[in-house]
Amino acid sequence: MLKSDLKIVFMGTPEFAVGSLKALVEGGYNVVAVVTQPDKPVGRHGSVLRPSEVKQYALQHNLPVLQPAKMKDEEFLEQLRQYQADLQVVVAFRMLPEVVWDMPRFGTFNVHAALLPQYRGAAPINWAVINGEKQTGVTTFFLDHDIDTGRIIMREPFDIPDDADVEFVYDGLMRLGAEVCLKTVDKVIQLDGVVPSVPQEELITRETLHAAPKIFNDTCRIDWKKTARQLHNFVRGLSPWPGAWTTLCKNGEPDEKGVSLKVYTAGIALKECPQQPVGTIVADKNTLAVVTGEGLLEIKSLQLAGKKRMEAKAFLNGYKDIADCRMV
């Protein structure tokens, strides 16, 4: 089978998915259509519609775009059938019903940013960094009825440096994901669709399986009772987006009277931690640190609500009463 003989429908929405779509298009693969989320309302009154990154790329390359509000909509299903796809490739998209993922003769595979069966869910990159993993990776697997549980086709590892944040890992996995996507499609071509795959149950060891649920605003709140090491990982696992946050308030004031503060970069302070309650601020003219459940966490860059992101030294220069405050 030649590249031109394999008709592919690509499904994805964010920038992460563009890496794989771009690799397919520039690699000369036959992408016959793209499915992505409906345009998102933005602006003060939601009057402006913003197309997804995948749609923007698809339109630039004259690829047909489908944007169903519901994946079981009969009009959408009929449109999808008309492309007579041999294979569907899914990257960072919504859960598909069986009527969609079972449509192509060679099935549908997903590119997932983790080494399945670890980190099933919507935010695998964030949670791998938050949990202090030294390694993550990319998995391709055939879709089935449950989320991220299908038979595995390929897995490729990616090392996580100790101080890497989500942006670094995201960029690395986007590139690796594109490579593994092409390798998987090549397998389909070379083997006429009869691609070997392994049930995930065969890869489950005695190790705890970590989940990767969607991240909400409350998920990002810093719990100062955790150790400095855990919080260092927590901060970099949410940096630069959506950002770990805390509340800066004066001693004795309730939380709601404080101001929200995002922490973008942090480190484990080497100096001795004073015997003070968690959230106590330890600062001089150059450094800002906070007492944790174990050790001091040094905050290196941050952003007060309504202000620009800045280095800790600049923040301390403009916040003279920091000694009277605490983090909660």
Side-chain angles (χ1 to χ4, degrees), residues 194-214:
V194 186
V195 179
S197 57
V198 179
Q200 291 193 31
E201 290 74 18
E202 293 185 10
L203 300 175
I204 295 176
T205 66
R206 293 183 180 180
E207 297 177 358
T208 300
L209 285 183
H210 296 288
K214 187 175 181 179

Side-chain angles (χ1 to χ4, degrees), residues 130-146:
I130 288 171
N131 289 336
E133 300 287 2
K134 302 295 184 183
Q135 188 180 76
T136 184
V138 168
T139 302
T140 53
F141 67 97
F142 286 116
L143 293 189
D144 63 12
H145 295 91
D146 298 314

Side-chain angles (χ1 to χ4, degrees), residues 141-155:
F141 67 97
F142 286 116
L143 293 189
D144 63 12
H145 295 91
D146 298 314
I147 298 176
D148 301 335
T149 60
R151 295 175 65 93
I152 289 175
I153 307 167
M154 296 186 68
R155 294 197 306 175

Side-chain angles (χ1 to χ4, degrees), residues 27 46 71 94 117 144-145 201 238 254 262 276 286:
M71 299 302 291
R94 66 175 87 172
D144 63 12
H145 295 91
E201 290 74 18
L238 296 169
K262 283 192 174 183
Q276 297 289 338
N286 294 315

Side-chain angles (χ1 to χ4, degrees), residues 159-234:
D159 292 335
I160 304 176
D162 289 342
D163 291 325
D165 61 16
V166 159
E167 186 172 42
F168 175 90
V169 182
Y170 179 99
D171 290 344
L173 291 182
M174 182 167 62
R175 291 190 295 270
L176 180 60
E179 294 172 10
V180 179
C181 177
L182 295 193
K183 289 179 182 178
T184 304
V185 174
D186 287 342
K187 279 180 176 283
V188 174
I189 293 172
Q190 293 160 8
L191 300 172
D192 287 327
V194 186
V195 179
S197 57
V198 179
Q200 291 193 31
E201 290 74 18
E202 293 185 10
L203 300 175
I204 295 176
T205 66
R206 293 183 180 180
E207 297 177 358
T208 300
L209 285 183
H210 296 288
K214 187 175 181 179
I215 290 176
F216 298 95
N217 186 56
D218 284 348
T219 314
C220 302
R221 183 162 193 165
I222 297 172
D223 179 1
W224 293 105
K225 293 190 291 294
K226 293 185 176 181
T227 69
R229 170 64 65 186
Q230 290 173 320
L231 292 180
H232 173 235
N233 293 336
F234 186 76

Side-chain angles (χ1 to χ4, degrees), residues 12-16 18 21 36 50-58 60:
T13 295
E15 178 192 24
F16 188 88
V18 175
L21 177 58
T36 190
R50 176 182 296 167
S52 71
E53 287 87 347
V54 162
K55 180 181 178 179
Q56 293 177 47
Y57 181 88
Q60 290 167 7

